[in-house]
Amino acid sequence: MKILVTGTAGFIGFHLAKRLLEEGHEVVGIDNINDYYDTSLKYGRLLELGIASAEAGSQGRAASTKYEGHAFYRIDLADSAAIDTLFREERFDAVCHLAAQAGVRYSLENPMAYIQSNLTGFANILEGCRNHEVQNLSYASSSSVYGLNKSMPFKVSDSVDHPVSLYAATKKSNELMAHTYSHLYGIRTTGLRFFTVYGPWGRPDMAPMLFADAILHDRPINVFNYGKMERDFTYIDDIVEGIVRVIHHPAEPDEAFDPRHPDPATSPAPYRVYNIGNGSPVKLMDFIVTLEKHLGKKAQMNMMPMQPGDVEATWADTSALERDVGYSPSTSLERGIEEFVRWYLEYTERA
């Protein structure tokens, strides 16, 4: 297939593009390479895909020097004309939309960035699919949509009407927008609620890299809610495996849908929402201990109260994804942290 992957300078988009290219698909990547975090990491990911930084920073189509089937455009999602031109010229078989303004805490500081990227940008992707006959769209949602819900594990049949951050609200909005386009235009849409993804080439604003950098440089780490946190940490390879399966199994209408008792994760339209996680929450303090073990160094800790927009725990019920596409995460926290630390030490030494 010829697949558009948005956000290929980002953590998950980079890994997905690499996997699809290695499977022999043609992949067109886009990213605006914003400075939300260090762009050298983003350019480093692109270089792994054969896109040099000079080409990534210019306008137009940049061909990969590593993968014959790969090209990259630097495009902002909010640029409706550029997105429409991209769809018209490239003619995609499928779209996997992973680009977004990320981060829960940053949404408190710069809310308009989330409106432009996550709402306007997603609308442009939906319009691209509608106007250019793309019937297979998968996209990133987030575990943050569960908000105030404390019923564990989180199920896709649960209500997600009480988000506690603007980031979460935009992701819930994406699911509603996708359903509308599935209902009106028959676009097969699948939303994936990601649960705390980690691994090599991860984001520097997430706990693994923040903690590793601080520990190695003898700085204290900030441990929120005094360490009484749990996260469904999910290794990147397991996430990518799930995404690939979804791309190959686009949503179908739910013939058993009961409008008198509607399931928010399905529809008589070709629409689905799934949790994609490890299905096994890890105490934050256990995560820190495992990281210390593989770094060979103890952490200094600042024990701090809960931050606005955060939740105490996440835990994914992935049974629907297992049932429909055979998703089964297989990477233990021990092995995942070992792989992350190995990459991180090599990366920082090169840098």
Side-chain angles (χ1 to χ4, degrees):
M1 291 191 291
K2 186 174 185 178
I3 303 170
L4 170 64
V5 178
T6 71
T8 51
F11 175 32
I12 302 175
F14 155 70
H15 281 280
L16 176 63
K18 190 170 185 290
R19 166 72 181 271
L20 291 171
L21 289 164
E22 289 170 350
E23 288 188 354
H25 298 287
E26 186 176 354
V27 174
V28 174
I30 69 169
D31 204 293
N32 70 352
I33 319 180
N34 68 27
D35 60 359
Y36 169 63
Y37 59 78
D38 185 5
T39 57
S40 65
L41 183 62
K42 298 182 179 185
Y43 284 120
R45 295 181 186 125
L46 290 175
L47 191 59
E48 290 288 308
L49 296 173
I51 306 295
S53 59
E55 295 171 328
S58 62
Q59 294 298 313
R61 194 180 206 267
S64 170
T65 59
K66 187 173 181 180
Y67 295 98
E68 184 178 351
H70 183 47
F72 175 82
Y73 293 82
R74 183 168 184 172
I75 293 176
D76 194 295
L77 289 172
D79 187 339
S80 59
I83 295 294
D84 183 71
T85 298
L86 176 74
F87 273 81
R88 184 174 65 253
E89 293 183 350
E90 294 287 354
R91 311 300 300 179
F92 303 112
D93 299 307
V95 174
C96 186
H97 176 55
L98 301 175
Q101 177 57 60
V104 169
R105 293 172 192 138
Y106 185 63
S107 67
L108 303 175
E109 303 169 18
N110 192 359
M112 293 311 297
Y114 292 77
I115 301 301
Q116 286 297 310
S117 181
N118 299 7
L119 297 182
T120 302
F122 190 57
N124 288 335
I125 293 295
L126 288 169
E127 280 290 280
C129 291
R130 177 172 80 92
N131 293 327
H132 300 284
E133 300 180 342
V134 180
Q135 293 296 308
N136 183 351
L137 170 65
S138 48
Y139 62 93
S141 185
S142 169
S143 62
S144 66
V145 300
Y146 289 101
L148 293 178
N149 181 8
K150 293 187 181 297
S151 175
M152 296 287 177
F154 294 151
K155 299 179 177 64
V156 290
S157 57
D158 290 343
S159 167
V160 289
D161 290 333
H162 300 89
V164 294
S165 70
L166 181 62
Y167 171 72
T170 63
K171 289 299 184 179
K172 165 68 184 292
S173 299
N174 288 170
E175 295 176 3
L176 297 173
M177 295 162 73
H179 182 267
T180 302
Y181 275 69
S182 294
H183 172 74
L184 291 174
Y185 309 115
I187 300 171
R188 300 162 81 181
T189 68
T190 303
L192 293 168
R193 295 173 177 169
F194 294 119
F195 280 70
T196 316
V197 188
Y198 74 101
W201 294 100
R203 280 169 37 199
D205 61 322
M206 298 290 284
M209 284 184 70
L210 284 173
F211 288 179
D213 182 67
I215 292 169
L216 288 173
H217 293 91
D218 298 310
R219 297 194 312 270
I221 62 176
N222 294 328
V223 182
F224 295 110
N225 203 33
Y226 308 102
K228 298 174 183 176
M229 307 269 277
E230 290 185 323
R231 289 291 182 267
D232 199 327
F233 288 102
T234 314
Y235 190 63
I236 184 62
D237 289 359
D238 291 330
I239 289 287
V240 168
E241 177 66 29
I243 299 171
V244 170
R245 287 172 181 258
V246 163
I247 291 172
H248 289 301
H249 295 84
E252 298 282 355
D254 181 3
E255 296 180 358
F257 184 82
D258 182 356
R260 294 165 298 182
H261 304 283
D263 181 345
T266 71
S267 174
Y271 166 89
R272 287 290 187 280
V273 173
Y274 296 109
N275 288 333
I276 182 165
N278 198 53
S280 179
V282 173
K283 290 181 172 60
L284 179 58
M285 298 307 296
D286 291 341
F287 178 86
I288 292 170
V289 167
T290 307
L291 189 59
E292 288 174 327
K293 172 185 172 183
H294 289 283
L295 288 171
K297 198 169 183 181
K298 285 288 186 181
Q300 305 171 44
M301 301 185 209
N302 284 334
M303 307 305 282
M304 301 179 69
M306 180 74 84
Q307 293 292 287
D310 267 356
V311 295
E312 289 184 14
T314 62
W315 178 6
D317 177 347
T318 61
S319 58
L321 195 59
E322 293 167 13
R323 179 195 67 223
D324 290 351
V325 303
Y327 172 75
S328 180
S330 60
T331 308
S332 68
L333 181 73
E334 184 78 27
R335 187 166 75 84
I337 291 294
E338 181 181 12
E339 291 298 320
F340 163 73
V341 168
R342 180 182 294 114
W343 166 81
Y344 183 74
L345 294 176
E346 291 174 357
Y347 177 78
T348 53
E349 183 177 350
R350 290 199 307 270

